[in-house]
């Protein structure tokens, strides 16, 4: 039994465990204490450590390292519960859980894991450092310049500049870098466990999410070679494993956004003038979008497992990341508008949600880029299809591709795709070969919403999604 973990937390059933998480959040953010907390600033490490010691991150921790029994539902629930207390709270939960603990468990050795767990559960935790000031969004492309170089068998020199990673000032960072040999950079990406003493930083003055402590980090130091975490010896495998971190993170992101949606719904009813008919309509739209969020939440709970690879779910991950953030940001904007001047008053429970949430539509790839990628992933053979020797002809119509794509077939809960309607007629008019670089953004949006539409039996949710799909079709045809 890991001495860092309270054994009683592991013996609880799911209901008891989640009730315990809610209890500690309620205590810290109770009416008597909330006045002392400004979520536009940083939540004190003492409070954050109390939350972690109450089990917040245990669903992310492998059972063999004294975590909870593997449960995707528990992972989603702790993210959702944290989202009920503001954007920064659930974001930090996601960073330490999905971007630090899970990669550490999967790719670290025993010594690295033990040191990491000590810093996470008894200290200020860690962060994942990917993006660079010079390359920004090209996180895993050839532009990455961070490197490590062996000085001798026991020592490496690490040279890296990283920025916009959450928890930039924490006790350690997992630094993405390439090995340099004879002055040349390898194409294989590794993670380096770098303790705080080797890192300097320049604080970034971000517009929002100030509670996440963003910074530009600099590493130019000799460190023990035992900190290298090699994902794979081959370029293709290392990229695939590296990408797996982000696919899982995107699939799990819905837990964060769903909790934030609950926070918005709860507070907008509390503060808005809901006797005005148009305000009632806007609140109804927010509640409908919350229902759409539930579709994505249920998908991840039912189709993702913490112990299984998600490398075959890139399209689905991009759908969830883009639509979850798009709909949540739209709801946050509406909520702020409905509050009028109060929506811009510093310290108001709803004033910072929209500005804090805006980066979610940009980080890990702007949503428009992801919509284009969704189309690309849709139009190519899946790993399962490739293993069966199947190819996807570019002469297929969009409709024909959907109707034999198991990613859509296996989740369909209604007869929408088999009906004759103006959306299915539109899908039958275009072949895969006719979609150019601009139109694939709009087709990706259409496919993403269809992915959700076919999973619901709710007439209200279907009507809302169909309305949005028709808007996307107009955009597609305008750009034809």
């Amino acid at each position: 039994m890991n001495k860092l973990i309270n054994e009683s937390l592991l013996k609880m059933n799911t209901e008891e465990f989640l009730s315990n998480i809610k209890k500690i959040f309620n205590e810290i953010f109770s009416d008597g204490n909330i006045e002392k907390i400004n979520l536009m600033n940083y939540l004190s490490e003492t409070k954050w450590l109390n939350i972690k010691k109450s089990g917040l991150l245990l669903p992310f921790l492998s059972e063999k390292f004294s975590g909870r029994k593997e449960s995707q539902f528990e992972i989603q629930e702790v993210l959702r519960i944290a989202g009920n207390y503001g954007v920064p709270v659930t974001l930090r939960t996601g960073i330490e859980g999905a971007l630090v603990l899970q990669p550490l468990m999967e790719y670290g050795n025993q010594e690295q894991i033990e040191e990491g767990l000590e810093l996470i559960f008894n200290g200020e935790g860690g962060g994942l450092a990917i993006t660079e000031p010079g390359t920004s969004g090209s996180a895993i492309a050839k532009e990455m310049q961070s490197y490590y170089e062996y000085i001798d068998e026991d020592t490496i020199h690490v040279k890296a500049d990283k920025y916009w990673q959450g928890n930039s000032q924490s006790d350690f960072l997992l630094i993405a870098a390439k090995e340099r040999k004879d002055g040349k950079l390898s194409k294989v990406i590794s993670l380096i466990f770098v303790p705080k003493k080797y890192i300097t930083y320049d604080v970034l003055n971000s517009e929002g999410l100030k509670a996440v402590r963003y910074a530009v980090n600099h590493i130019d130091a000799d460190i023990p070679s035992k900190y290298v975490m090699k994902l794979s010896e081959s370029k293709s495998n290392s990229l695939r494993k590296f990408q797996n971190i982000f696919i899982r993170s995107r699939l799990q992101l819905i837990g964060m956004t769903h909790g934030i949606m609950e926070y918005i719904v709860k507070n907008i009813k509390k503060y808005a003038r809901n006797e005005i008919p148009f305000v009632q309509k806007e609140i109804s739209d927010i509640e409908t979008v919350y229902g759409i969020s539930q579709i994505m939440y249920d998908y991840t709970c039912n189709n993702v497992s913490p112990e299984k690879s998600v490398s075959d779910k890139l399209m689905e991950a991009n759908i969830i990341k883009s639509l979850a953030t798009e709909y949540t940001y739209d709801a946050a904007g509406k909520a702020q508008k409905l509050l009028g001047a109060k929506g811009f008053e510093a310290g108001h429970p709803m004033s910072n949600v929209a500005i804090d949430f805006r980066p979610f539509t940009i980080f890990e790839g702007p949503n428009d880029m992801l919509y284009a990628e969704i189309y690309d992933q849709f139009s190519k053979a899946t790993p399962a299809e490739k293993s069966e020797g199947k190819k996807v002809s570019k002469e297929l119509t969009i409709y024909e591709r959907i109707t034999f794509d198991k990613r859509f077939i296996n989740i369909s809960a209604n007869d929408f795709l088999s009906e004759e309607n103006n959306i299915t007629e539109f899908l039958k008019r275009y072949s895969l070969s006719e979609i150019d670089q601009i139109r694939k953004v709009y087709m990706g949006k259409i496919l993403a919403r269809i992915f959700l539409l076919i999973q619901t039996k709710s007439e209200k949710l279907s009507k809302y999604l169909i309305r949005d799909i028709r808007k996307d079709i107009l955009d597609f045809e305008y750009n034809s």
Side-chain angles (χ1 to χ4, degrees), residues 36-50:
K36 304 171 187 174
I37 299 172
N38 181 359
L39 283 179
M40 287 296 283
N41 295 316
Y42 194 62
L43 184 65
S44 76
E45 280 303 322
T46 301
K47 288 183 171 63
W48 186 247
L49 199 55
N50 285 341

Side-chain angles (χ1 to χ4, degrees), residues 243-308:
Q243 189 179 52
N244 197 61
I245 296 171
F246 291 101
I247 295 174
R248 190 177 298 281
S249 171
R250 290 171 187 176
L251 288 165
Q252 294 176 166
L253 178 72
I254 185 61
M256 300 161 66
T257 59
H258 199 54
I260 295 163
M261 281 295 306
E262 289 180 352
Y263 181 85
I264 293 170
V265 170
K266 176 177 63 180
N267 280 286
I268 199 61
K269 287 181 177 180
K270 186 176 179 181
Y271 295 108
R273 295 279 303 276
N274 54 19
E275 71 273 12
I276 302 170
F278 184 76
V279 173
Q280 293 173 9
K281 178 262 178 195
E282 294 283 84
I283 292 175
S284 176
D285 282 351
I286 291 173
E287 290 174 335
T288 301
V289 167
Y290 173 69
I292 293 171
S293 176
Q294 186 70 51
I295 298 172
M296 293 181 274
Y297 188 84
D298 291 342
Y299 176 85
T300 293
C301 287
N302 296 329
N303 294 277
V304 177
S305 174
E307 70 269 22
K308 292 182 181 178

